[in-house]
Amino acid sequence: MRNYSIALIPGDGIGVDVIREGKKVIDTVCELDGGVSIQYQKFNWSCEYYLKHGTMMPEDGLEILKNFDSIYLGAVGYPGVPDHISLWGLLLPIRRQFQQYINIRPVKLLRGIQSPLANRGVEDLDFIVIRENNEGEYSSIGGRMYEGTNMDMAIQNSVFTKHGVERVLRYAFELANKQGKRKQLTAATKSNGINHTMPFWDEYVCKINKEYPEVSTDIVHIDALCAYFVTRPDTFDVVVASNLFGDILTDLGAAIVGGLGIAPSANINPEKKFPSMFEPVHGSAPDIAGKGIANPTAAIWCASMMLEHLGETKLARAIMVVLEDVLAEGAVVTPDLGGKATTEEFGDEVCKRLKERYK
Ligand code: NAI
Ligand code: MG
């Protein structure tokens, strides 16, 4: 038996619904395989937890999570608790403490999903964005002074380190070299306007490129890059970006391949010294929470990425094949994709198809 331990953090709102379906799909595929056993432990760390305890997770939360193979998270955030509390109280500490410095966000149009870009199909939209996940623009360095006076001011410093930049670039080059269809890497920059950190970033792109001479590299300003995502998405292979640029780019990336109900993300510690965390890009969607209509596609795709990371490539692929079959047929899809199915009905359909196809 191959054994894995997974920490489940469903979180708030629709996070709870979509993780339930994702877990169901994992259980189904593992049962069909027969050689995998997964021990889950569920944690109710969330905004509800915060309202009761005054913290998003217990003091030894990270200590507890450290021993798991993976973390499978829904979403946190709910009206009544400020978003910076849910983010800085749970998600960011996990990403940082566990050195999940790679954020993988595939921009891939699944079969059956209509892109809002005219005349674009699955062959046009298939690339990967690697976002730096530990430093850059999202640093807590800075402060506020003279609040409430006419001299009111705020400073937030960006942090770009040799260590941080080299490791994310090396990961992206490696990916482009090994898995890229065209061995092509696009690095997002803004070295015209941001004249210290971005030329630093560009310099390391050129330096690491020397280790990967087979990879052809483009350094593109972030504003132009946004436009190219829309006008020529078919030209990308692997895109690498700093924390903020990657964050913004990938919402655009999600939009061109069908929206937030679809987009998955993986927070990876490549060395596997710490657990990696898998979570949909979407949030807790208070507007549809409790209605049972959230699309669990992103969460199920995340489940596939998690199995892939654990080394269960065959199971990961099986999930994607069936997920795309169900979407392509379109008979059982959620309202965001124009269907009438509930979250649960969609999850059940994926499990049913898995059993039919792989029994
Ligand atoms: P959101 O992603 O929760 O919702 C944006 C829109 O997309 C809503 O109209 C929602 O109904 C729709 N949507 C999202 N996921 C969907 C799904 N699976 N199926 C169908 N429709 C879906 O973003 P919003 O509204 O900006 O944030 C809500 C809360 O979630 C906030 O508290 C925010 O801080 C938090 N959040 C948490 C994240 C996380 O835990 N990783 C990420 C983003 C937001
Ligand atoms: Mg974002």
Side-chain angles (χ1 to χ4, degrees):
M1 264 313 188
R2 282 112 64 208
N3 286 297
Y4 306 107
S5 60
I6 295 177
L8 295 175
I9 310 179
D12 296 297
I14 65 165
V16 178
D17 307 346
V18 298
I19 290 301
R20 189 183 299 124
E21 299 313 309
K23 176 179 178 295
K24 205 153 83 184
V25 171
I26 299 174
D27 288 343
T28 302
V29 86
C30 289
E31 202 181 308
L32 286 166
D33 180 85
V36 180
S37 147
I38 296 187
Q39 281 77 48
Y40 298 97
Q41 197 172 337
K42 193 149 118 188
F43 300 94
N44 63 345
W45 305 340
S46 58
C47 288
E48 206 177 313
Y49 183 96
Y50 175 83
L51 292 174
K52 268 193 218 132
H53 300 92
T55 53
M56 288 295 294
M57 61 177 161
E59 214 170 295
D60 60 347
L62 294 172
E63 205 47 45
I64 296 170
L65 290 178
K66 201 176 77 187
N67 301 313
F68 286 85
D69 292 316
S70 286
I71 303 165
Y72 187 36
L73 182 130
V76 289
Y78 223 69
V81 178
D83 284 344
H84 68 267
I85 292 203
S86 42
L87 197 65
W88 285 90
L90 186 80
L91 279 183
L92 291 187
I94 294 175
R95 287 178 183 166
R96 287 180 184 194
Q97 194 70 31
F98 295 156
Q99 288 294 295
Q100 296 167 347
Y101 58 89
I102 300 297
N103 191 210
I104 306 179
R105 297 188 166 190
V107 179
K108 177 175 158 63
L109 188 66
L110 300 182
R111 280 184 287 123
I113 304 289
Q114 176 85 47
S115 169
L117 303 179
N119 306 320
R120 292 293 189 184
V122 291
E123 61 293 336
D124 299 314
L125 290 158
D126 185 6
F127 57 95
I128 295 180
V129 179
I130 301 296
R131 165 187 173 192
E132 200 290 320
N133 216 25
N134 276 179
E135 54 173 45
E137 303 86 347
Y138 295 178
S139 86
S140 48
I141 311 257
R144 181 94 180 244
M145 279 206 310
Y146 302 122
E147 225 176 316
T149 76
N150 281 338
M151 294 191 298
D152 196 7
M153 60 163 286
I155 290 179
Q156 184 122 24
N157 288 314
S158 293
V159 174
F160 285 75
T161 65
K162 177 178 190 289
H163 177 66
V165 170
E166 279 190 347
R167 65 183 181 176
V168 69
L169 291 175
R170 201 165 272 126
Y171 186 93
F173 271 108
E174 193 71 40
L175 188 70
N177 197 27
K178 287 229 176 83
Q179 281 179 39
K181 288 163 295 178
R182 291 184 293 264
K183 292 190 189 288
Q184 199 240 326
L185 182 75
T186 308
T189 189
K190 190 65 192 168
S191 47
N192 51 356
I194 302 175
N195 67 344
H196 296 302
T197 53
M198 281 296 138
F200 177 88
W201 169 271
D202 294 357
E203 205 178 295
Y204 280 99
V205 173
C206 297
K207 182 184 163 212
I208 309 291
N209 195 179
K210 294 208 176 82
E211 295 171 25
Y212 298 90
E214 313 80 0
V215 176
S216 78
T217 308
D218 278 325
I219 300 179
V220 182
H221 289 306
I222 184 69
D223 37 2
L225 189 52
C226 288
Y228 295 154
F229 265 37
V230 174
T231 56
R232 51 175 181 85
D234 53 314
T235 60
F236 297 110
D237 199 358
V238 177
V239 177
V240 64
S242 63
N243 210 334
L244 173 67
F245 290 173
D247 190 8
I248 298 171
L249 261 185
T250 47
D251 262 34
L252 180 54
I256 60 177
V257 294
L260 283 170
I262 315 271
S265 90
N267 304 277
I268 302 285
N269 172 246
E271 293 78 22
K272 299 196 178 182
K273 189 173 161 212
F274 298 104
S276 293
M277 176 165 69
F278 300 80
E279 49 164 340
V281 172
H282 67 72
S284 57
D287 55 335
I288 57 165
K291 295 190 178 154
I293 54 164
N295 187 350
T297 297
I300 295 171
W301 192 344
C302 285
S304 167
M305 291 171 85
M306 180 162 71
L307 288 172
E308 175 104 52
H309 183 72
L310 291 170
E312 297 294 340
T313 306
K314 208 179 100 213
L315 305 193
R317 300 252 160 92
I319 291 176
M320 291 315 291
V321 167
V322 168
L323 183 61
E324 289 198 74
D325 283 350
V326 174
L327 292 168
E329 250 164 59
V332 185
V333 294
T334 45
D336 57 312
L337 298 178
K340 288 200 174 69
T342 63
T343 311
E344 189 179 357
E345 283 164 354
F346 185 91
D348 286 344
E349 184 67 17
V350 173
C351 293
K352 190 179 110 196
R353 294 306 190 81
L354 275 169
K355 287 178 198 152
E356 283 168 10
R357 196 172 172 133
Y358 295 101
K359 68 170 176 267

